[in-house]
Amino acid sequence: MKSLAKALLVMDLLVSKNEEMSVTEISNTLEMPKGTVHRILASLVKYKYARQDHETKKYGLGIRFYMMQSPLDRFKALRAVMNPLMRELYLKCKETVSAASLMDDEIEYIERFESEMLLRVSIRVGTRFPAHCTATGKVLLSALSDAELTQLYKSRGRLKKCTETSVTSMRELKKSLEKVREQGYARDREETLIGVNCMASPIYNLKGEMVAAISISGPRERMTPEKVAELMPLLQETTAKISQELGAPNIDAAPAGKLAHSAKS
Amino acid sequence: MKSLAKALLVMDLLVSKNEEMSVTEISNTLEMPKGTVHRILASLVKYKYARQDHETKKYGLGIRFYMMQSPLDRFKALRAVMNPLMRELYLKCKETVSAASLMDDEIEYIERFESEMLLRVSIRVGTRFPAHCTATGKVLLSALSDAELTQLYKSRGRLKKCTETSVTSMRELKKSLEKVREQGYARDREETLIGVNCMASPIYNLKGEMVAAISISGPRERMTPEKVAELMPLLQETTAKISQELGAPNIDAAPAGKLAHSAKS
DNA sequence: CATGGTTGTTCCAAATTGTGGAATAGCGTT
DNA sequence: AACGCTATTCCACAATTTGGAACAACCATG
C-alpha cells in the first residue's frame, strides 16, 4: 500500500520532530512532491491525526496523538485548541472568558481571557473554587453519575457556603445538576461571589468525555438575564466548535457522557 | 484519500479498544471486507503502527504508539517484546537471562528468565546494582557521552567496590567503556559477585536510543571464556532481533546512540 | 478421523483512486 | 508594484486499491 506508506512516513516525521512543520519542509525532507504531502496532510487533519495551525499554516500532531500521551501533554494540547476560540468569544462579549476542569470537588482554571473593563472578574490560571457553587463546576459535576457524585462528597459533610445564594445541601445540588443536564449549560447568580454572575458550557473530547467547561463571568449589573440569554448562543457555539476540533462525536446529541479523569498534577 | 481514511479508521478502532483484535472482528465492526482490513493491517505492521501477536494472530497497537505514551506503558510494551525472545535465548543457554535498564548510576532489572540449574544466578525484577561493576551496567553506561558520565558521577566520589575485580576509578571505567563501545557488548568476570560471570548486549528503540541491555549470567565454572565466546552470537542475535522489533534504525551500523532517559518510577 | 465452521491469508481483473507537475492564490518583503 | 516565498488547487494519466471469492490452517464437534 503505497499511499498509506507515504502517509505513515509523514506521521513518523511529525512524531519524531515533535514540532510543527510546513508543507515544503516535509516535502523536502521526505522527497515527496508538495501536492502529495498536502493531500496526505489534509486527510490526516480530517481524522485528527494531524492539525494545522491556522496562523502559521504549519502542521503538527493532532489530538488523536495527544490523547494517548501523559495528562500534562493532554492539557497542553487542550489549551492550544481552546485558546484561539476563547479569544474569539472574548472579543465578542468583552467579559472575562475562562476555562476550568474538575479536580476532585473543586474546579481549577486552566486558561482565561480577562475582560479589560474597569469592573471585571479577574481569575488566574491555577485558581480553584468549590465546584458546587460555580456555573463551571456545576457543568462539570453534571457529567458525573449519581453514584460518582455521592462517592465524591461522601466524606465531606455539608457543602461549603460561598455566598448566601450557594446551594448547600446535596439534594439541592442534585436537583440543580439535573437541570444542567437537561439544558446543557449552567448559570450561577452570585453563588460564588456576591455581585458576580456566570454562565458555563461543557467541552467534550473525542471519546465523548467531558474534559473542561468554558464560562463567561461578569458583574451582576452587566450580566443581566437578557445579556446572558444573548451570550448563551455564542458561548455554546464556542464550546461546540472546540469540542468539534477535539473530535467529539455527535455534536448535538444528548451528552450524558462520562467525565474524563482529571490529572492530579 | 479513501485508502488512508480506512487505515486511520482501523487505527482509531485499535486505539479506542486498546486491546488486540482479530481481522474479522475489525472487519465486522467497521464493515469492511476482510481482504481490505488484512492489507491495511499488514502495512500498519510494516511501519510499526500495529503489531500482530504471533500466537493469537490478533492485531494490536505497535511500538510507535507506545513510544509516545507514559514511561510506564513504554516499559510494559518493551517487556512484551522482550519476553518471548528472552525465553528463546534462555532455552538455548540454560543460564539466567535478564534485562535491565539504567536508573541514575544503578541498573534495575526489568525482566528475567531464571536458570533451573542447582547452582544458578537468581535475580528478581526490581533488583538494583551499581552500574559500573556489572556487564549490563557497562553496556548501558557506554551509551553516555563523556560529559554525561562525569555529570552522573560528579558528586559520588570513589566508585563502590563490589568485589576485588571491580573497577574503582573513573579512569579505569572510562577506558573499559571505550572497549565496550568498540565491541558492542560487555563482560564481567566476578566484578559484581565473586564466582559470577556475566555478558551483556544492548537494545535500541526506534529512535536509536539504547533503552535496556540483556545479559546472560552464570557461575564462573560454567561461564568459561569458551562458553562466553560460544554464547555471545546467540545473545547478540537476540538483542538484534528485539531492537529490530522495536523498529531500531540501521541494525548493524555503529551505535554510539543516545541513551534514552529512564523513568524514575 | 472426517467434517463443518471457524479463522487468517492470498489472489486478480476491474476501475476507482492517488499521482505529481504545473498553475493558482495568498502573503510578506524588498 | 514586483518579487519570492509560501499553501493550495487542478487534472489527465495510470498505477493503485478494491473486495469478492478461493485457499489454507486451525479447532471443535459428530
Side-chain angles (χ1 to χ4, degrees):
Chain A
M1 294 189 79
K2 219 166 178 180
S3 70
L4 213 195
K6 291 189 181 182
L8 294 179
L9 283 178
V10 171
M11 278 175 52
D12 284 0
L13 185 63
L14 288 175
V15 168
S16 63
K17 273 265 180 179
N18 206 33
E19 61 182 284
E20 305 197 330
M21 296 179 78
S22 65
V23 173
T24 33
E25 208 174 337
I26 297 173
S27 155
N28 290 332
T29 315
L30 270 56
E31 293 173 12
M32 288 184 196
K34 277 197 296 185
T36 305
V37 171
H38 188 265
R39 183 159 26 82
I40 288 169
L41 285 170
S43 288
L44 289 178
V45 167
K46 187 172 171 187
Y47 290 90
K48 311 286 175 192
Y49 278 88
R51 73 182 292 271
Q52 184 178 27
D53 187 312
H54 293 299
E55 295 207 349
T56 64
K57 295 284 177 186
K58 288 185 171 185
Y59 291 87
L61 292 175
I63 354 273
R64 277 232 128 76
F65 280 105
Y66 288 106
M67 277 302 295
M68 45 188 115
Q69 292 201 355
S70 68
L72 221 79
D73 293 320
R74 234 177 295 175
F75 266 116
K76 245 171 49 184
L78 179 62
R79 287 184 62 168
V81 172
M82 292 192 306
N83 191 293
L85 289 159
M86 282 175 69
R87 146 167 267 128
E88 217 173 80
L89 178 61
Y90 161 66
L91 291 173
K92 282 178 193 159
C93 68
K94 305 288 187 195
E95 295 289 356
T96 296
V97 170
S98 45
S101 68
L102 197 66
M103 307 286 187
D104 297 319
D105 61 341
E106 296 183 314
I107 60 165
E108 180 174 317
Y109 289 94
I110 56 178
E111 184 71 297
R112 60 103 219 239
F113 280 90
E114 194 170 309
S115 171
E116 291 184 337
M117 302 273 209
L118 235 68
L119 178 64
R120 69 196 187 203
V121 176
S122 182
I123 291 171
R124 294 197 175 191
V125 168
T127 303
R128 290 190 174 206
F129 275 115
H132 69 276
C133 52
T134 63
T136 306
K138 282 191 279 185
V139 165
L140 293 169
L141 290 175
S142 79
L144 299 176
S145 70
D146 216 76
E148 289 172 309
L149 201 68
T150 45
Q151 167 69 18
L152 185 61
Y153 283 101
K154 72 171 189 294
S155 57
R156 279 176 233 273
R158 200 153 182 79
L159 302 176
K160 194 190 163 200
K161 196 181 186 99
C162 291
T163 72
E164 279 308 313
T165 53
S166 304
V167 295
T168 51
S169 78
M170 202 57 190
R171 246 201 47 203
E172 282 179 282
L173 180 60
K174 284 189 181 172
K175 205 177 136 194
S176 168
L177 295 183
E178 197 45 59
K179 198 177 157 195
V180 173
R181 284 193 199 96
E182 281 170 24
Q183 296 174 146
Y185 61 83
R187 307 182 40 179
D188 105 58
R189 301 189 197 184
E190 309 187 52
E191 288 169 46
T192 318
L193 219 67
I194 294 176
V196 172
N197 288 349
C198 184
M199 52 199 285
S201 171
I203 292 174
Y204 299 93
N205 70 7
L206 85 179
K207 284 185 183 171
E209 301 165 332
M210 193 187 293
V211 286
I214 288 191
S215 63
I216 305 177
S217 34
R220 173 185 53 198
E221 283 68 29
R222 292 202 299 270
M223 292 289 277
T224 57
E226 296 76 41
K227 188 67 178 287
V228 168
E230 179 196 328
L231 291 178
M232 192 56 82
L234 293 177
L235 174 61
Q236 293 194 300
E237 192 185 315
T238 302
T239 53
K241 270 189 202 164
I242 294 174
S243 294
Q244 198 178 2
E245 277 215 37
L246 291 175
N250 50 347
I251 313 144
D252 42 15
K258 275 184 158 180
L259 181 68
H261 296 307
S262 36
K264 272 290 166 135
S265 55
Chain B
M1 295 187 81
K2 218 166 177 179
S3 70
L4 213 195
K6 291 190 180 184
L8 294 179
L9 283 177
V10 171
M11 279 175 51
D12 285 359
L13 186 62
L14 288 176
V15 168
S16 62
K17 273 266 181 178
N18 207 33
E19 61 181 286
E20 304 197 330
M21 295 180 78
S22 65
V23 173
T24 33
E25 209 174 336
I26 297 172
S27 156
N28 289 333
T29 315
L30 269 52
E31 293 174 10
M32 288 184 197
K34 275 196 300 183
T36 305
V37 171
H38 187 266
R39 183 159 26 82
I40 288 169
L41 285 170
S43 289
L44 289 177
V45 167
K46 187 173 172 186
Y47 290 90
K48 309 283 175 192
Y49 278 88
R51 73 184 291 271
Q52 183 177 28
D53 188 312
H54 294 299
E55 297 208 346
T56 64
K57 296 285 178 185
K58 289 187 171 185
Y59 292 87
L61 292 176
I63 355 269
R64 277 231 127 79
F65 280 104
Y66 288 106
M67 277 301 296
M68 46 189 118
Q69 291 200 358
S70 69
L72 222 79
D73 293 320
R74 236 177 293 176
F75 266 116
K76 247 172 47 185
L78 179 62
R79 286 185 61 169
V81 171
M82 292 191 306
N83 192 292
L85 289 158
M86 283 176 68
R87 146 167 268 127
E88 218 172 79
L89 178 61
Y90 161 67
L91 291 174
K92 283 179 193 158
C93 67
K94 305 287 186 194
E95 294 289 356
T96 296
V97 171
S98 47
S101 67
L102 196 67
M103 306 286 186
D104 298 318
D105 61 341
E106 297 183 314
I107 60 165
E108 181 173 317
Y109 289 94
I110 57 179
E111 185 70 298
R112 60 105 220 241
F113 279 90
E114 194 170 307
S115 171
E116 292 185 338
M117 303 272 210
L118 235 68
L119 178 64
R120 69 197 186 204
V121 176
S122 182
I123 291 171
R124 295 198 174 192
V125 168
T127 303
R128 290 192 175 205
F129 275 117
H132 69 275
C133 52
T134 62
T136 307
K138 283 191 277 186
V139 165
L140 293 169
L141 289 175
S142 79
L144 298 177
S145 69
D146 215 75
E148 288 171 310
L149 201 68
T150 46
Q151 168 69 16
L152 185 61
Y153 282 101
K154 72 171 189 294
S155 57
R156 278 177 234 270
R158 203 153 180 79
L159 302 177
K160 193 189 162 200
K161 199 181 184 99
C162 290
T163 72
E164 279 308 313
T165 53
S166 303
V167 295
T168 52
S169 79
M170 203 57 192
R171 247 202 46 207
E172 282 179 284
L173 180 59
K174 284 188 181 175
K175 205 177 137 196
S176 167
L177 296 183
E178 196 47 58
K179 199 177 158 197
V180 173
R181 284 192 199 97
E182 281 170 23
Q183 295 175 147
Y185 61 83
R187 308 181 40 177
D188 105 59
R189 302 188 197 185
E190 308 187 52
E191 288 168 46
T192 317
L193 220 66
I194 293 175
V196 172
N197 288 349
C198 183
M199 52 198 286
S201 173
I203 291 174
Y204 299 93
N205 70 7
L206 87 178
K207 285 184 181 172
E209 301 164 333
M210 192 187 293
V211 286
I214 287 191
S215 63
I216 306 176
S217 31
R220 175 184 52 200
E221 283 67 30
R222 292 201 300 268
M223 291 291 277
T224 59
E226 297 75 41
K227 188 68 179 288
V228 168
E230 179 197 328
L231 291 177
M232 192 55 82
L234 292 178
L235 174 60
Q236 293 193 301
E237 191 186 315
T238 303
T239 54
K241 269 189 202 163
I242 294 174
S243 294
Q244 199 177 1
E245 276 216 38
L246 290 176
N250 48 347
I251 312 143
D252 42 14
K258 276 184 157 181
L259 181 68
H261 296 305
S262 37
K264 273 290 166 130
S265 56

